[in-house]
Structures are given as structure tokens and as C-alpha cells.
Amino acid sequence: MSIELKHVSHTYMPKTPFERLALDDISLLVPEGKITAIAGHTGSGKSTLIQHFNGLLKPDKGSILVDGVDIGTKTAEARAARRKVGIVFQYPEYQLFEETIAKDIGFGPGNMGCNEEEIAERVRFAMEFVDLDCETYAHRSPFQLSGGQKRRAAIAGILALKPKYLVLDEPTAGLDPRGRQALMERFCRLHREAGTTIVLISHNMDNIANYADNVIILNRGRVTLEAPPAEAFSRSELISEAGLELPEVKVIMDDLARHGLDIQQDAFTMDQAVQEIMAALRRQNRC
Amino acid sequence: MSFIECIDLTHIYNAGMENQQLAVDRVNMKINEGEFVAVLGTNGSGKSTLAKHFNGLLLPSSGKCLVDGMDTTDEAHTYDIRRQIGMVFQNPDNQIIAAIVEDDIGFGPENIGLDPHEIRRNVTAALRAVNMEEFRHFSPHHLSGGQKQRVAIAGALAMNTRCLVLDEPTAMLDPRGRHEVMETVSRLNRERGITIVYITHFMEEAALADRIFVMDQKHMVAAGTPREIFRDIGTMKKRGLAVPMAAELAYRLQQRGVKLSESIINREDLVRALCQ
């Protein structure tokens, strides 16, 4: 099962002087149970793209299938399919609005028609997952939280919907290094324990190298590459054409190789790099 | 004399009220004219609160903030201080106000009643300084994030600002935008001697500064060159921060017994150490 896009195009403000083709004949697959990363420069169409995943935007052409169901129709089946996809937008903390954190997180489940008991259960689950202590925070105003806590509370609001597919648009932007890592590890845990499929929109290539199973590169509204990270990062010309960068680790390794260190394997993550440098030093009898 | 000096600067939000909150606690620091300093610290450590004191957007609850010798609490100086210190914030969309790039940059000079010819001259010079001349008649919302941030920087330059305080200016930008901003900021510092205070969560950016200040839980806990600050990877991690990738890689290699003599904070260092 999967999210599948077939020849999707989207034009903003069609038939006006501002007409702009944002998505140009996009076909792609987000396989269930994997972490798929979507990368591209500002304006490449990432945000437009993900808004098609649960029908917030409708394509001009083409179709979107969630677990095989075309979400573009008005049937109950299509609505159920749309609800399988939860989207956390960039800077979700700006969307907090309720009087208390528990009410804010419970808003979505309430809308879905859950009863009081189930709402409470989902709020507890979501708060626990983002590491906000339920006892302490449930009845506080979300506006009293720190920036990092607000981000987590907003994410909890989507987790409470228990989406099968969780789409995250730059979830770590503006967070400090510890916050970035902690949040990414939480998403990985969700992926591992609940089997949630993750779609990660990011231009942080180090994050992608560390966490993603698949990378989709978007450039000017088109998919220019769909591959596992190792393969994607070996296409450096394509990456830079798309206005992106290789992971810093890969850049360091390329530099070392160019200056004569006998590196034989590609490395994209810190652990791989340490291993490969140690191996190279051994080959050159230097340790 | 330092260009910016904080003496026991403390800031308490909502002082005296039920929800009062200590944000900056007895910070002492000096920034010299022409210096490029980075400020690191976790979310909520007090960096942004501190930075807002540098042009009098916030005033100390106790202690002092001096800019070019002028006390920010002295209202007679507020105008002078704001002209000398330009602020650039994280979200470019929150700080662009006009419908055309040149109007946006000219807004500040116009506000202080400069002669129209001088405004024009300042705007042209500012656009040139950030490499945005060709976008003079563009509408800001057609620009990329990096370009918008450069317009924001140009807006400060058009006021003949001597110092730029940038609060996570690259947090929302893609890699190209980050480079554009970083490159612009270092060039303005190098070629024009503009003092830079650069708040960031990106260690690679901080490594380019002359000096780094580290804040932790509302206190200023360390100051030094990037080499001095990034040498102590354990302490940086304990504070919720990190070190540049090259430094972390060097540290892990050293732990595995590889002898690397010098302190390594960037790619060039690592290449020198490993590929003699």
C-alpha cells in the first residue's frame, strides 16, 4: 500500500497574468512503512505537492491514490483515505489556537467524531509521544510554552489523529541541535513502533542521509530523481542543479579523497565516515 | 572602547506580575567595532532577548547596555542607536513592508527625512552591497527567501548602519539562500568593517565568526574563538549544542586512537591533518 501520484499537475491562478505551473506532470510513490524524504529548493513545489496528499489542493490533471483509493472523489471511501494522511506544516506552532493544550490536541479527534473518552486517550498518547507531561501541561495555555514545546504540542495535534501517513514539512527548522535530534528520533520511534509511514520534507541533507530510505528530488515542479540516499548523493550534479547540497559528511569525504586519502566507499553519515577513514588509514599503514 | 557592551544585563519579562519570567541573567559582554561575533545557545537560552537590547527594542530590567558609549535607556540616544544598529530577523516575510524592493529599502531613510536624492543614492548603494541591483523594481514576494533576507539587510545598510544584528537569518532558507546570506554578511564585515552579531543554530556558520559567545539557561557561559569554543565537544553537547561536522569527525577519530594534533573545526583543517 502507498500514496501514489499519477501525472499530477497543478497551476496557481490559471487564466490570469499570474498563472504559474507549480507541479508539472508528477508521478511518484510513497511506499508504506518507509521514510521518504522530499527535497528541493524554495519554490520547487514541495509544499504544493504535499497539500495534494490529503486533498487540501486538487490537481488540475492526474490523480492521487492513497492505498489504492482515488482521493479526488466525494465518496465516503475517498474521505476515509484522505484521513489516513496527516500533515504537519512548517512552523506548526503558529497554528495553535485553543485555550488549553489538551483542547488544542483534542480538536482534531473531536472533529473526526471521537467520543470524550477516546479523545482523552488520544491526547494522552500524543502528549506522551512528544514528551509533554500530561499532568503538568494538559490544562495550560499553549501560549505559555517555550518555542520548542509549542512545536511539539502542535505536532501532537496531528499525532492524535493517528495518521497512517505522517507528512512533516521542515519539522526541525529553527530548533537547536539537541531539539533537532530529539525530534527526529521521536519520529523514527513512531515509524518503528507504530509502523507509521513518514514523509520528510527537508533541505537538510544530513537529516536525509541519516534517516531516509528514499529521496525524491523536486526541481521547478518536476521530479528529477527518486532513489535511495546512497544513489541520490552519488549524483552530485543533479543535487546542485536542484539548488541543494550534498550532506556535509559526503563533502568532507570527497575533499579527503581529492587530497589523497585512499577512500574506497561512499559515506554519508558520521558512522560510515569514521569507519571509512579508519579503513583508509589502515590501508595506508597510518594506524 | 567597545562598540556594544553589556554590564550585568538582566531582563525579566512581565516584571512584578504573576507570570514574570527571567530571560537574561547578569550578562557581561563586549563586542568591538568591526568584529564578527556569533551567539550560540539552545531555544530559550536568552539569545534573542539579549539581542533585542542592542538597539533598545528591549531595555534592561537591571544592568546596562551601552552602544558606542550611549546608554540604551537614555531616550535622547534611542534615535542614534537605532540608526547605527540594524536588525534582521528569522522570517523574511515579517519584515518586508513595501510592494517594490526599492521602496522597502528606502522606507527607513525616508522615515528619518533624508533628502530624496540621498535616499536614491543610499538605496542604490545598499542594493549593490547585497548584489540585488537587478531586483530593484521587483515585488518582494516574487523573491526567494535568501533574496528577501538580502533585501532586509539592504534596508539596514541604507540607513548607514554600522552594525547588523541577525537573529537566525537562515533558519527558514534553503542551502542556496543560506550561502547567499552568509556570504553577504561576511563580505560586509570584511570589506566595510560592519560589526556583525549573528545568532544561529548552525555550527558551520558560527565557525566563520571571529568570536563565539555561548548562552546557556539565561547566562553567558563562554566566549572565545571558534577553535577555543569547538575544542570542547563534550561541554557543547551538554549544553544542547553541537560542533561543526569536521570537528565531530576529528573527535571520533581521536577516540579511535588516530593522532590528530591540532584543533580541527573545518574541512580544510581535517584535510591538512589527514592528508599530509
Coordinates of all heavy atoms in Angstrom, one line a residue, chain A residues 29-114:
Chain A
L29 N 5.8 7.7 -5.9 CA 5.3 6.7 -5.0 C 5.9 6.9 -3.6 O 7.1 7.0 -3.5 CB 5.7 5.3 -5.5 CG 5.0 4.1 -4.8 CD1 3.6 4.0 -5.3 CD2 5.8 2.8 -5.1
V30 N 5.0 6.9 -2.6 CA 5.5 6.9 -1.2 C 5.1 5.6 -0.6 O 3.9 5.3 -0.3 CB 4.8 8.1 -0.4 CG1 5.2 8.0 1.1 CG2 5.2 9.4 -1.0
P31 N 6.1 4.7 -0.5 CA 5.7 3.3 -0.1 C 5.4 3.3 1.4 O 6.0 3.9 2.2 CB 7.0 2.5 -0.4 CG 8.1 3.5 -0.6 CD 7.5 4.8 -0.9
E32 N 4.4 2.4 1.8 CA 4.1 2.2 3.2 C 5.2 1.7 4.0 O 6.0 0.9 3.5 CB 2.9 1.2 3.2 CG 2.4 1.1 4.6 CD 1.2 0.1 4.7 OE1 0.6 -0.1 3.6 OE2 0.9 -0.5 5.8
G33 N 5.3 2.2 5.2 CA 6.3 1.6 6.1 C 7.7 2.1 6.0 O 8.7 1.7 6.6
K34 N 7.9 3.1 5.1 CA 9.3 3.6 4.8 C 9.3 5.1 5.3 O 8.3 5.7 5.5 CB 9.6 3.6 3.3 CG 9.6 2.2 2.8 CD 10.9 1.5 3.0 CE 10.9 0.2 2.2 NZ 11.6 -0.9 2.8
I35 N 10.6 5.6 5.3 CA 10.8 7.0 5.5 C 11.2 7.6 4.1 O 12.3 7.3 3.6 CB 11.8 7.3 6.6 CG1 11.3 6.8 7.9 CG2 12.1 8.9 6.7 CD1 12.3 7.0 9.1
T36 N 10.3 8.4 3.6 CA 10.6 9.0 2.3 C 10.9 10.5 2.5 O 10.1 11.2 3.1 CB 9.4 8.8 1.3 OG1 9.1 7.5 1.2 CG2 9.7 9.5 0.0
A37 N 12.0 11.0 1.9 CA 12.4 12.4 2.0 C 12.1 13.1 0.7 O 12.3 12.5 -0.4 CB 13.8 12.5 2.4
I38 N 11.5 14.3 0.8 CA 11.3 15.1 -0.4 C 12.2 16.3 -0.2 O 12.0 17.1 0.7 CB 9.9 15.4 -0.6 CG1 9.0 14.2 -0.7 CG2 9.7 16.3 -1.9 CD1 7.5 14.4 -0.9
A39 N 13.1 16.6 -1.2 CA 14.0 17.7 -1.1 C 13.8 18.6 -2.3 O 13.6 18.1 -3.4 CB 15.4 17.3 -0.9
G40 N 14.1 19.9 -2.1 CA 14.1 20.8 -3.3 C 14.2 22.2 -2.8 O 13.9 22.4 -1.6
H41 N 14.6 23.1 -3.6 CA 14.9 24.5 -3.1 C 13.5 25.2 -2.9 O 12.5 24.6 -3.2 CB 15.7 25.3 -4.2 CG 15.0 25.4 -5.5 ND1 14.1 26.5 -5.7 CD2 15.0 24.7 -6.6 CE1 13.6 26.3 -7.0 NE2 14.1 25.2 -7.5
T42 N 13.6 26.4 -2.2 CA 12.4 27.1 -2.0 C 11.7 27.4 -3.3 O 12.4 27.8 -4.3 CB 12.7 28.5 -1.4 OG1 13.6 28.3 -0.3 CG2 11.5 29.2 -0.8
G43 N 10.4 27.1 -3.4 CA 9.7 27.4 -4.7 C 9.8 26.2 -5.7 O 9.3 26.4 -6.8
S44 N 10.3 25.1 -5.2 CA 10.4 24.0 -6.2 C 9.1 23.2 -6.3 O 8.9 22.4 -7.1 CB 11.5 23.0 -5.7 OG 11.3 22.5 -4.5
G45 N 8.2 23.5 -5.3 CA 6.9 22.9 -5.4 C 6.6 21.9 -4.3 O 5.5 21.2 -4.3
K46 N 7.5 21.8 -3.3 CA 7.3 20.8 -2.2 C 6.0 21.0 -1.5 O 5.3 20.1 -1.2 CB 8.5 20.9 -1.2 CG 9.8 20.7 -1.7 CD 10.9 20.8 -0.6 CE 10.9 22.1 0.1 NZ 11.8 23.1 -0.2
S47 N 5.7 22.3 -1.0 CA 4.6 22.5 -0.2 C 3.3 22.3 -1.0 O 2.3 21.7 -0.5 CB 4.6 23.9 0.4 OG 5.7 24.1 1.1
T48 N 3.3 22.7 -2.3 CA 2.2 22.4 -3.2 C 1.9 20.9 -3.3 O 0.8 20.4 -3.2 CB 2.4 23.0 -4.6 OG1 2.8 24.4 -4.4 CG2 1.2 22.9 -5.4
L49 N 3.0 20.2 -3.5 CA 3.0 18.8 -3.6 C 2.3 18.1 -2.4 O 1.3 17.3 -2.6 CB 4.4 18.2 -3.8 CG 4.5 16.7 -4.0 CD1 3.8 16.2 -5.3 CD2 5.9 16.2 -3.9
I50 N 2.8 18.4 -1.2 CA 2.2 17.6 -0.1 C 0.8 18.0 0.2 O 0.0 17.2 0.7 CB 3.1 17.8 1.2 CG1 3.2 19.3 1.6 CG2 4.4 17.2 1.0 CD1 3.8 19.4 3.0
Q51 N 0.4 19.2 -0.2 CA -1.0 19.5 0.0 C -2.0 18.7 -0.9 O -3.2 18.7 -0.7 CB -1.3 21.0 -0.2 CG -0.6 21.8 0.9 CD -0.8 23.3 0.7 OE1 -1.9 23.8 0.8 NE2 0.3 24.0 0.5
H52 N -1.4 18.1 -1.9 CA -2.2 17.1 -2.7 C -2.4 15.8 -2.0 O -3.3 15.0 -2.4 CB -1.5 16.9 -4.1 CG -1.8 18.1 -5.0 ND1 -1.0 19.2 -4.9 CD2 -2.6 18.3 -6.0 CE1 -1.4 20.1 -5.9 NE2 -2.4 19.5 -6.5
F53 N -1.5 15.5 -1.1 CA -1.5 14.1 -0.5 C -2.8 13.8 0.3 O -3.2 12.7 0.5 CB -0.3 13.9 0.5 CG 1.0 13.8 -0.2 CD1 1.1 13.9 -1.6 CD2 2.2 13.5 0.5 CE1 2.3 13.7 -2.2 CE2 3.4 13.3 -0.1 CZ 3.5 13.5 -1.5
N54 N -3.4 14.9 0.9 CA -4.7 14.6 1.6 C -5.8 15.5 1.0 O -6.8 15.8 1.7 CB -4.5 14.8 3.1 CG -4.3 16.2 3.5 OD1 -4.0 17.1 2.6 ND2 -4.4 16.5 4.8
G55 N -5.6 16.0 -0.2 CA -6.7 16.6 -0.9 C -6.9 18.1 -0.5 O -8.0 18.7 -0.8
L56 N -6.0 18.7 0.2 CA -6.1 20.1 0.5 C -6.1 20.9 -0.7 O -6.7 22.0 -0.9 CB -5.0 20.6 1.5 CG -5.1 20.2 2.9 CD1 -3.8 20.5 3.7 CD2 -6.3 20.7 3.6
L57 N -5.3 20.5 -1.7 CA -5.3 21.0 -3.0 C -5.7 19.9 -4.0 O -5.4 18.8 -3.8 CB -3.9 21.6 -3.4 CG -3.4 22.8 -2.8 CD1 -2.0 23.2 -3.2 CD2 -4.3 24.0 -3.1
K58 N -6.4 20.3 -5.1 CA -6.8 19.3 -6.1 C -5.9 19.5 -7.3 O -5.7 20.7 -7.7 CB -8.2 19.5 -6.4 CG -9.2 19.0 -5.3 CD -10.6 19.1 -5.7 CE -11.4 18.6 -4.5 NZ -12.8 19.1 -4.6
P59 N -5.6 18.4 -7.9 CA -4.7 18.6 -9.2 C -5.6 19.1 -10.3 O -6.8 18.8 -10.4 CB -4.3 17.1 -9.4 CG -5.3 16.3 -8.8 CD -5.9 17.0 -7.6
D60 N -5.0 19.8 -11.3 CA -5.7 20.2 -12.5 C -5.8 18.9 -13.4 O -6.8 18.7 -14.1 CB -4.9 21.2 -13.3 CG -4.6 22.4 -12.4 OD1 -5.4 22.7 -11.5 OD2 -3.6 23.1 -12.7
K61 N -4.7 18.2 -13.3 CA -4.7 16.9 -14.1 C -4.1 15.8 -13.2 O -3.3 16.1 -12.3 CB -3.7 17.1 -15.3 CG -4.3 17.9 -16.5 CD -3.4 17.9 -17.6 CE -3.3 19.3 -18.2 NZ -1.9 19.6 -18.7
G62 N -4.4 14.6 -13.5 CA -3.8 13.5 -12.8 C -4.6 13.1 -11.6 O -5.6 13.7 -11.3
S63 N -4.1 12.1 -10.9 CA -4.9 11.6 -9.7 C -3.9 11.2 -8.6 O -2.7 10.9 -8.8 CB -5.8 10.4 -10.1 OG -5.0 9.4 -10.7
I64 N -4.5 11.2 -7.4 CA -3.7 10.8 -6.2 C -4.4 9.6 -5.6 O -5.7 9.6 -5.3 CB -3.7 11.9 -5.2 CG1 -2.9 13.1 -5.7 CG2 -3.0 11.5 -3.9 CD1 -3.8 14.2 -6.2
L65 N -3.7 8.5 -5.4 CA -4.3 7.3 -4.8 C -3.7 7.1 -3.4 O -2.4 7.0 -3.3 CB -4.0 6.1 -5.7 CG -4.4 6.2 -7.2 CD1 -4.0 4.9 -7.9 CD2 -5.9 6.4 -7.3
V66 N -4.5 7.0 -2.4 CA -4.0 6.6 -1.1 C -4.5 5.2 -0.8 O -5.7 4.9 -0.8 CB -4.5 7.6 0.0 CG1 -4.1 7.1 1.4 CG2 -3.9 9.0 -0.3
D67 N -3.6 4.3 -0.6 CA -3.9 2.8 -0.5 C -4.8 2.4 -1.6 O -5.8 1.7 -1.4 CB -4.5 2.6 0.9 CG -3.5 2.7 2.0 OD1 -2.3 2.7 1.7 OD2 -3.9 2.8 3.1
G68 N -4.6 2.9 -2.8 CA -5.3 2.4 -4.0 C -6.6 3.2 -4.2 O -7.3 2.9 -5.2
V69 N -7.0 4.1 -3.3 CA -8.3 4.8 -3.4 C -8.0 6.2 -4.0 O -7.2 6.9 -3.4 CB -9.0 4.9 -2.1 CG1 -10.3 5.7 -2.2 CG2 -9.3 3.5 -1.5
D70 N -8.7 6.5 -5.0 CA -8.6 7.9 -5.6 C -9.2 8.9 -4.6 O -10.4 8.8 -4.4 CB -9.3 7.9 -7.0 CG -9.1 9.3 -7.7 OD1 -8.8 10.3 -7.0 OD2 -9.2 9.3 -8.9
I71 N -8.5 9.8 -4.1 CA -9.0 10.7 -3.0 C -9.7 11.9 -3.6 O -10.3 12.7 -2.9 CB -7.9 11.2 -2.1 CG1 -6.9 12.1 -2.8 CG2 -7.2 10.0 -1.4 CD1 -5.9 12.8 -1.9
G72 N -9.8 12.0 -4.9 CA -10.4 13.1 -5.6 C -11.9 13.0 -5.7 O -12.6 14.0 -6.1
T73 N -12.5 11.9 -5.2 CA -14.0 11.8 -5.4 C -14.7 12.2 -4.1 O -14.1 12.5 -3.1 CB -14.3 10.4 -5.7 OG1 -14.0 9.5 -4.6 CG2 -13.6 9.9 -7.0
K74 N -16.1 12.2 -4.1 CA -16.8 12.6 -3.0 C -17.3 11.4 -2.2 O -18.2 11.6 -1.3 CB -18.0 13.5 -3.4 CG -17.5 14.9 -3.8 CD -18.6 15.8 -4.1 CE -18.1 17.2 -4.3 NZ -19.1 18.1 -5.0
T75 N -16.8 10.3 -2.4 CA -17.4 9.1 -1.7 C -16.8 9.0 -0.3 O -15.8 9.7 0.1 CB -16.9 7.8 -2.4 OG1 -15.5 7.8 -2.4 CG2 -17.4 7.7 -3.8
A76 N -17.5 8.2 0.6 CA -17.1 8.0 2.0 C -15.7 7.4 2.0 O -14.9 7.6 2.8 CB -18.1 7.2 2.7
E77 N -15.5 6.5 1.0 CA -14.2 5.8 0.9 C -13.1 6.8 0.7 O -12.0 6.7 1.3 CB -14.3 4.8 -0.3 CG -13.4 3.7 -0.2 CD -13.4 2.9 -1.5 OE1 -14.0 3.3 -2.5 OE2 -12.7 1.8 -1.5
A78 N -13.3 7.8 -0.2 CA -12.3 8.8 -0.5 C -12.0 9.6 0.7 O -10.8 9.9 1.0 CB -12.7 9.6 -1.7
R79 N -13.1 10.0 1.5 CA -12.8 10.8 2.7 C -12.0 10.0 3.7 O -11.1 10.5 4.3 CB -14.2 11.2 3.3 CG -13.9 12.3 4.3 CD -15.0 12.6 5.2 NE -16.3 12.7 4.6 CZ -17.5 12.4 5.2 NH1 -17.4 12.0 6.5 NH2 -18.6 12.5 4.6
A80 N -12.3 8.7 3.9 CA -11.6 7.9 4.8 C -10.1 7.8 4.3 O -9.2 7.9 5.2 CB -12.2 6.5 4.8
A81 N -9.9 7.7 3.0 CA -8.5 7.7 2.5 C -7.7 9.0 2.8 O -6.6 8.9 3.2 CB -8.5 7.3 1.0
R82 N -8.4 10.1 2.6 CA -7.8 11.4 2.9 C -7.4 11.5 4.3 O -6.3 12.1 4.7 CB -8.7 12.5 2.6 CG -8.9 12.7 1.1 CD -9.5 14.1 0.8 NE -10.9 14.3 1.2 CZ -12.0 14.0 0.5 NH1 -11.8 13.5 -0.7 NH2 -13.2 14.2 1.0
R83 N -8.2 10.9 5.2 CA -7.9 11.0 6.7 C -6.7 10.1 7.1 O -6.3 10.2 8.2 CB -9.1 10.6 7.5 CG -10.1 11.8 7.5 CD -11.2 11.5 8.5 NE -11.9 12.8 8.7 CZ -13.1 12.9 9.2 NH1 -13.7 11.7 9.6 NH2 -13.8 14.0 9.3
K84 N -6.3 9.3 6.2 CA -5.1 8.5 6.6 C -3.8 9.3 6.6 O -2.8 8.9 7.0 CB -4.9 7.3 5.6 CG -6.0 6.3 5.7 CD -5.7 5.1 4.7 CE -6.8 4.1 4.8 NZ -6.6 3.1 3.7
V85 N -3.9 10.5 5.9 CA -2.7 11.3 5.8 C -2.8 12.5 6.7 O -3.7 13.3 6.6 CB -2.6 11.8 4.3 CG1 -1.3 12.6 4.1 CG2 -2.7 10.6 3.3
G86 N -1.8 12.6 7.6 CA -1.7 13.8 8.5 C -0.5 14.7 8.1 O 0.5 14.2 7.8
I87 N -0.8 16.0 8.0 CA 0.3 16.9 7.5 C 0.7 17.8 8.6 O -0.2 18.5 9.2 CB -0.1 17.7 6.3 CG1 -0.5 16.7 5.1 CG2 1.0 18.6 5.8 CD1 -0.8 17.4 3.8
V88 N 1.9 17.9 9.0 CA 2.5 18.9 9.9 C 3.1 19.9 9.1 O 4.2 19.7 8.5 CB 3.5 18.3 10.9 CG1 4.0 19.4 11.8 CG2 2.8 17.2 11.7
F89 N 2.6 21.1 9.0 CA 3.1 22.2 8.2 C 4.3 22.8 8.8 O 4.6 22.6 10.0 CB 2.1 23.2 7.8 CG 1.1 22.7 6.9 CD1 -0.2 22.4 7.3 CD2 1.4 22.6 5.5 CE1 -1.1 21.9 6.4 CE2 0.5 22.1 4.6 CZ -0.8 21.8 5.0
Q90 N 5.1 23.6 8.0 CA 6.2 24.4 8.6 C 5.7 25.3 9.7 O 4.7 25.9 9.6 CB 6.8 25.2 7.5 CG 8.2 24.9 7.2 CD 8.8 25.8 6.1 OE1 9.1 26.9 6.3 NE2 8.9 25.2 4.9
Y91 N 6.5 25.4 10.7 CA 6.2 26.2 11.9 C 4.8 26.0 12.4 O 4.0 26.9 12.4 CB 6.4 27.7 11.5 CG 7.9 28.0 11.4 CD1 8.5 27.8 10.1 CD2 8.7 28.5 12.4 CE1 9.9 28.1 10.0 CE2 10.0 28.8 12.3 CZ 10.6 28.5 11.0 OH 12.0 28.8 10.9
P92 N 4.4 24.8 12.7 CA 3.1 24.4 13.1 C 2.6 25.2 14.3 O 1.4 25.3 14.6 CB 3.1 22.9 13.3 CG 4.5 22.6 13.6 CD 5.3 23.6 12.8
E93 N 3.6 25.6 15.1 CA 3.2 26.3 16.4 C 2.4 27.6 16.1 O 1.7 28.0 17.0 CB 4.5 26.6 17.2 CG 5.5 27.5 16.6 CD 6.6 26.6 15.8 OE1 6.2 25.5 15.3 OE2 7.7 27.1 15.6
Y94 N 2.5 28.1 14.9 CA 1.6 29.3 14.6 C 0.2 28.9 14.5 O -0.7 29.8 14.4 CB 2.1 30.0 13.4 CG 3.5 30.6 13.5 CD1 4.4 30.5 12.4 CD2 3.9 31.3 14.6 CE1 5.7 31.1 12.6 CE2 5.1 31.8 14.8 CZ 6.0 31.7 13.7 OH 7.3 32.3 13.9
Q95 N -0.1 27.6 14.4 CA -1.5 27.2 14.3 C -2.2 26.9 15.6 O -3.3 26.5 15.6 CB -1.6 26.1 13.3 CG -1.0 26.4 11.9 CD -1.0 25.2 11.0 OE1 -1.8 24.3 11.1 NE2 -0.1 25.2 10.1
L96 N -1.4 26.9 16.7 CA -2.1 26.6 18.0 C -3.1 27.7 18.2 O -2.9 28.9 17.9 CB -1.0 26.7 19.1 CG 0.1 25.6 19.0 CD1 1.2 25.9 20.0 CD2 -0.5 24.2 19.4
F97 N -4.3 27.3 18.8 CA -5.3 28.3 18.9 C -6.2 28.1 20.2 O -6.8 29.1 20.6 CB -6.2 28.3 17.7 CG -7.1 27.1 17.6 CD1 -8.4 27.1 17.9 CD2 -6.5 25.9 17.1 CE1 -9.2 26.0 17.8 CE2 -7.3 24.8 17.0 CZ -8.6 24.8 17.4
E98 N -6.2 26.9 20.8 CA -7.1 26.7 21.8 C -6.7 27.3 23.2 O -5.6 27.7 23.3 CB -7.4 25.2 21.9 CG -8.5 24.7 21.1 CD -9.9 25.0 21.7 OE1 -9.9 25.8 22.7 OE2 -10.9 24.5 21.2
E99 N -7.6 27.2 24.1 CA -7.3 27.8 25.5 C -6.3 26.9 26.2 O -5.5 27.4 27.0 CB -8.6 27.8 26.3 CG -9.5 29.0 26.0 CD -10.9 28.8 26.6 OE1 -11.0 28.0 27.6 OE2 -11.8 29.5 26.1
T100 N -6.5 25.6 26.1 CA -5.5 24.7 26.7 C -4.9 23.7 25.7 O -5.4 23.5 24.6 CB -6.2 23.8 27.8 OG1 -7.1 22.9 27.1 CG2 -7.1 24.7 28.8
I101 N -3.8 23.2 26.2 CA -3.1 22.3 25.3 C -3.9 21.0 25.0 O -4.0 20.6 23.8 CB -1.7 21.9 25.9 CG1 -0.8 23.2 26.0 CG2 -1.0 20.8 25.2 CD1 0.4 23.1 26.9
A102 N -4.6 20.5 26.0 CA -5.4 19.3 25.8 C -6.5 19.6 24.8 O -6.8 18.8 23.9 CB -6.0 18.8 27.1
K103 N -7.1 20.8 24.9 CA -8.2 21.1 23.9 C -7.6 21.2 22.5 O -8.3 20.8 21.5 CB -8.9 22.4 24.3 CG -9.9 22.3 25.4 CD -10.7 23.6 25.5 CE -11.5 23.7 26.7 NZ -12.0 25.0 26.9
D104 N -6.5 21.8 22.4 CA -5.9 22.0 21.1 C -5.6 20.7 20.4 O -5.9 20.5 19.3 CB -4.6 22.8 21.2 CG -4.2 23.5 19.9 OD1 -3.7 22.8 19.0 OD2 -4.5 24.7 19.8
I105 N -5.0 19.8 21.2 CA -4.6 18.5 20.6 C -5.9 17.7 20.4 O -5.9 16.9 19.4 CB -3.7 17.7 21.6 CG1 -2.4 18.5 21.7 CG2 -3.4 16.3 21.1 CD1 -1.4 18.0 22.8
G106 N -6.9 17.9 21.2 CA -8.1 17.1 21.1 C -9.1 17.6 20.0 O -10.1 17.0 19.6
F107 N -8.7 18.7 19.4 CA -9.6 19.4 18.4 C -9.8 18.5 17.2 O -11.0 18.3 16.8 CB -9.1 20.7 18.0 CG -9.9 21.4 17.0 CD1 -11.0 22.1 17.4 CD2 -9.6 21.4 15.6 CE1 -11.8 22.8 16.5 CE2 -10.4 22.1 14.7 CZ -11.5 22.8 15.1
G108 N -8.7 17.9 16.7 CA -8.8 17.1 15.5 C -9.6 15.8 15.7 O -10.6 15.5 15.0
P109 N -9.3 15.0 16.8 CA -10.1 13.8 17.1 C -11.6 14.2 17.3 O -12.4 13.4 16.9 CB -9.4 13.3 18.4 CG -8.0 13.8 18.3 CD -8.1 15.1 17.6
G110 N -11.8 15.3 17.9 CA -13.2 15.7 18.1 C -13.9 15.9 16.8 O -15.1 15.4 16.6
N111 N -13.2 16.5 15.9 CA -13.8 16.7 14.5 C -14.1 15.4 13.8 O -14.9 15.4 12.9 CB -12.8 17.5 13.7 CG -13.2 19.0 13.6 OD1 -14.3 19.3 14.0 ND2 -12.4 19.8 13.0
M112 N -13.2 14.5 14.1 CA -13.4 13.2 13.5 C -14.6 12.4 14.0 O -14.9 11.3 13.5 CB -12.1 12.3 13.6 CG -10.9 12.7 12.8 SD -9.5 11.9 13.3 CE -9.9 10.2 12.9
G113 N -15.1 12.9 15.1 CA -16.3 12.2 15.7 C -15.9 11.3 16.9 O -16.8 10.5 17.3
C114 N -14.7 11.4 17.4 CA -14.4 10.5 18.6 C -15.2 11.0 19.8 O -15.5 12.2 20.0 CB -12.9 10.7 18.9 SG -11.8 10.1 17.6

